[in-house]
Amino acid sequence: MPARPPEPTIASLRDAPSEGAGDSLASYWTFYWAVAEAQLTRWLPRRPARVLDISGDRGRSARRAAGAGHSVLEVRDPMLERPGSGGRVASGNGHRQQGNGQSARGRSATVVAGDSGALPFVADASMDAVIAENRVLSRHLATEATVTEIARVLRPGGRVLLCVDSLTLGMALLAEQNYWAHLSDVPSAEVVLVPWPDGTITRCFWADQLRELLTEAGLEVEWIRPRTVLSPSAVEHVLSSSPRALPRLVRTELNAPPADDSLGIHLLASARRITQDP
């Protein structure tokens, strides 16, 4: 009987910048990005809107939003995008326009380099939607300040879609690196900063912590759920035997009932600005 492949380590589950990154988890990441794309498509406004994308995913979310007919401002933060900068401690306020992209439907995706945590170049209440995908709020370690800025630039009724690292991921990372003393402090900690094996830092959240952070910024939480409920090993097993099962797996994930947030390595949340001044 052939040996079963080992379970992937938590360190191997860092969100990758391109589809299929990592030979051992290529099928899982293909599934992950397909789910992320479908979730974003469902979430985007139905009418043409002004969308701010601070995800730092090299245009993935911006292209999807522009392709759906929205005018998109994509912010690329040099402090977050340079190699090895998993946790952001400080960034300048300078910014410059890098160029314009055009979607197939004629909407623009404008790219600007700047501080995605402070957004000094975005006017108050000027955006209908904000996309903060790709774990960007876990890489902005002062997450409260970034969320306050998101609330500031959203018009009343505007919405934000965001993705963060979960405490499930954080505790597994600590255990994998034998940080037992740090692990024992997690239940009582208000802020949990976790090192990756490469020395970068991530901030991790339970759903209740994320809900409180958003609420304090003047945002009404619509829902919080794991990015995926299906495990990497289950996805790899199914797709290795039936590659054409990908659309069925994505539909299964999208139609899954609300799940315990402890199931996911990443949490996805949607919130709406409900006040004039957060």
Side-chain angles (χ1 to χ4, degrees), residues 10 13-16 29 32 86-87 132-141 143 162-171 173 192-196 200-207 209-210 224-227 261 264-269:
I10 289 296
L13 295 176
R14 180 193 289 271
D15 206 348
W29 285 117
Y32 181 101
E133 271 276 15
N134 196 37
R135 309 170 40 250
V136 68
L137 294 182
S138 280
R139 292 182 287 139
H140 278 288
L141 303 184
T143 314
L162 59 97
C163 176
V164 296
D165 289 332
S166 74
L167 267 177
T168 298
L169 172 65
M171 290 191 296
L173 273 171
V192 179
L193 304 180
V194 178
W196 285 88
T200 57
I201 305 294
T202 187
R203 183 168 173 181
C204 300
F205 298 86
W206 286 133
Q209 292 174 325
L210 184 58
I224 299 175
R225 58 152 293 160
R227 162 72 82 198
D261 62 85
I265 59 172
H266 302 137
L267 295 178
L268 191 69

Side-chain angles (χ1 to χ4, degrees), residues 45 56 126 141 158 161 250:
S126 61
L141 303 184
L161 180 73
V250 172

Side-chain angles (χ1 to χ4, degrees), residues 23-42:
D23 292 341
S24 63
L25 288 174
S27 294
Y28 173 71
W29 285 117
T30 297
F31 164 77
Y32 181 101
W33 289 120
V35 169
E37 182 175 295
Q39 289 167 332
L40 176 59
T41 298
R42 282 190 173 188

Side-chain angles (χ1 to χ4, degrees), residues 5-255:
E7 282 286 321
T9 65
I10 289 296
S12 70
L13 295 176
R14 180 193 289 271
D15 206 348
S18 59
E19 294 182 11
D23 292 341
S24 63
L25 288 174
S27 294
Y28 173 71
W29 285 117
T30 297
F31 164 77
Y32 181 101
W33 289 120
V35 169
E37 182 175 295
Q39 289 167 332
L40 176 59
T41 298
R42 282 190 173 188
W43 179 87
L44 283 168
R46 295 294 174 260
R47 297 179 179 179
R50 292 167 297 176
V51 177
L52 175 66
D53 181 10
I54 64 169
S55 304
D57 59 1
R58 287 291 174 178
R60 179 190 302 273
S61 301
R63 285 192 298 270
R64 171 57 51 181
H70 305 294
S71 296
V72 182
L73 176 64
E74 181 192 359
V75 180
R76 296 186 180 177
D77 191 331
M79 289 296 292
L80 290 183
E81 294 194 2
R82 63 184 173 82
S85 59
R88 175 178 174 280
V89 179
S91 176
N93 291 328
H95 64 280
R96 60 184 176 86
Q97 183 137 338
Q98 293 183 316
N100 296 321
Q102 201 75 11
S103 77
R105 295 177 59 178
R107 291 291 177 177
S108 62
T110 301
V111 181
V112 171
D115 186 348
S116 59
L119 302 174
F121 42 87
V122 183
D124 294 358
S126 61
M127 292 293 165
D128 301 303
V130 175
I131 305 171
E133 271 276 15
N134 196 37
R135 309 170 40 250
V136 68
L137 294 182
S138 280
R139 292 182 287 139
H140 278 288
L141 303 184
T143 314
E144 292 84 355
T146 305
V147 170
T148 297
E149 281 298 283
I150 289 173
R152 176 184 66 80
V153 303
L154 278 173
R155 64 167 178 79
R159 302 167 73 213
V160 57
L161 180 73
L162 59 97
C163 176
V164 296
D165 289 332
S166 74
L167 267 177
T168 298
L169 172 65
M171 290 191 296
L173 273 171
L174 290 173
E176 193 171 284
Q177 299 173 86
N178 297 319
Y179 289 146
W180 305 113
H182 298 77
L183 189 59
S184 64
D185 291 336
V186 167
S188 59
E190 293 185 6
V191 176
V192 179
L193 304 180
V194 178
W196 285 88
D198 64 3
T200 57
I201 305 294
T202 187
R203 183 168 173 181
C204 300
F205 298 86
W206 286 133
D208 288 345
Q209 292 174 325
L210 184 58
R211 185 181 303 276
E212 181 179 358
L213 184 152
L214 294 169
T215 300
E216 289 181 352
L219 299 168
E220 179 183 46
V221 176
E222 297 177 312
W223 47 260
I224 299 175
R225 58 152 293 160
R227 162 72 82 198
T228 66
V229 175
L230 299 175
S231 69
S233 57
V235 171
E236 289 283 335
H237 174 73
V238 171
L239 293 181
S240 64
S241 58
S242 180
R244 295 183 179 180
L246 178 60
R248 176 166 51 86
L249 282 178
V250 172
R251 287 194 300 271
T252 298
E253 185 67 61
L254 293 177
N255 295 328

